[in-house]
Amino acid sequence: TEAMIVGSRAEFVRRMQELGTELGLGPLDPRDAGTLKDVTSERRLGLIFDVQTRSAQAYGGFKQGLDPDVLAEFPGRRFIRVRGVQSARSDHEHVEDVVRLATDFAFWSGLNEDFGVPYAPFGFGCGHDVEDVDRDECVDLGLIRRGWQAPRAAVPEPITDIGPDGK
């Protein structure tokens, strides 16, 4: 597999459209041209670029936040809305503003039905992210006790290879 290095979203879209044309890709139904169902459309390719770059950035923040020194000061994360969306996910609304430990990978991954990872984006079209919660607030919420020591958390690796079955 050859990596594609691009300088911008527009360059990614342009190069992928060229590749799609070269490979004869396009929508199965001509009426879907230019929509999300068209793998060569700007809309679909822009979504792919946005999700991938947001995921990479979020993974970096996630991994940094699990450094024992950072975790000692900010052991929690709050699930927050950072931007409005056309259609809010009902499974996310009930946990908006909920605080959980950053190391509660099962909780964070459980919010992420589309990608199954414990960091943003928490699904296609999701407007949520997390913010750090300091030690004192986590104590007040009963998530940790005074004197709590940050664990040396095992950081899950990002998914780098998705097989033909989507897993």
Side-chain angles (χ1 to χ4, degrees), residues 59-82:
Y59 177 73
F62 167 77
K63 192 167 182 176
Q64 288 175 348
L66 294 177
D67 177 274
D69 293 332
V70 175
L71 198 57
E73 295 301 317
F74 298 95
R77 293 198 172 133
R78 178 177 284 112
F79 191 63
I80 59 168
R81 177 164 299 285
V82 294

Side-chain angles (χ1 to χ4, degrees), residues 20-90:
T21 299
E22 180 182 311
L23 295 174
L25 301 177
L28 295 175
D29 183 334
R31 293 174 294 188
D32 291 331
T35 70
L36 282 177
K37 292 180 181 180
D38 177 359
V39 74
T40 62
S41 73
E42 180 189 356
R43 189 170 172 206
R44 173 75 173 261
L45 292 169
L47 174 65
I48 291 168
F49 183 87
D50 294 346
V51 167
Q52 291 299 314
T53 54
R54 187 172 173 214
S55 181
Q57 182 179 25
Y59 177 73
F62 167 77
K63 192 167 182 176
Q64 288 175 348
L66 294 177
D67 177 274
D69 293 332
V70 175
L71 198 57
E73 295 301 317
F74 298 95
R77 293 198 172 133
R78 178 177 284 112
F79 191 63
I80 59 168
R81 177 164 299 285
V82 294
R83 68 178 192 283
V85 295
Q86 284 183 339
S87 180
R89 293 170 173 253
S90 60

Side-chain angles (χ1 to χ4, degrees), residues 12-147:
F12 171 80
V13 169
R14 181 186 57 76
R15 288 181 60 188
M16 292 305 295
Q17 285 176 325
E18 288 172 1
L19 180 61
T21 299
E22 180 182 311
L23 295 174
L25 301 177
L28 295 175
D29 183 334
R31 293 174 294 188
D32 291 331
T35 70
L36 282 177
K37 292 180 181 180
D38 177 359
V39 74
T40 62
S41 73
E42 180 189 356
R43 189 170 172 206
R44 173 75 173 261
L45 292 169
L47 174 65
I48 291 168
F49 183 87
D50 294 346
V51 167
Q52 291 299 314
T53 54
R54 187 172 173 214
S55 181
Q57 182 179 25
Y59 177 73
F62 167 77
K63 192 167 182 176
Q64 288 175 348
L66 294 177
D67 177 274
D69 293 332
V70 175
L71 198 57
E73 295 301 317
F74 298 95
R77 293 198 172 133
R78 178 177 284 112
F79 191 63
I80 59 168
R81 177 164 299 285
V82 294
R83 68 178 192 283
V85 295
Q86 284 183 339
S87 180
R89 293 170 173 253
S90 60
D91 58 331
H92 286 175
E93 290 179 335
H94 75 282
V95 290
E96 203 166 286
D97 296 318
V98 165
V99 176
R100 298 293 286 264
L101 291 177
T103 55
D104 188 348
F105 302 141
F107 173 78
W108 296 111
S109 295
L111 291 177
N112 201 329
E113 291 182 17
D114 292 346
F115 307 117
V117 294
Y119 49 87
F122 287 96
F124 286 108
C126 178
H128 287 95
D129 206 333
V130 296
E131 68 181 7
D132 293 332
V133 177
D134 68 29
R135 172 185 282 274
D136 289 338
E137 187 173 349
C138 287
V139 168
D140 292 345
L141 292 170
L143 296 174
I144 59 172
R145 294 188 185 108
R146 296 228 179 267

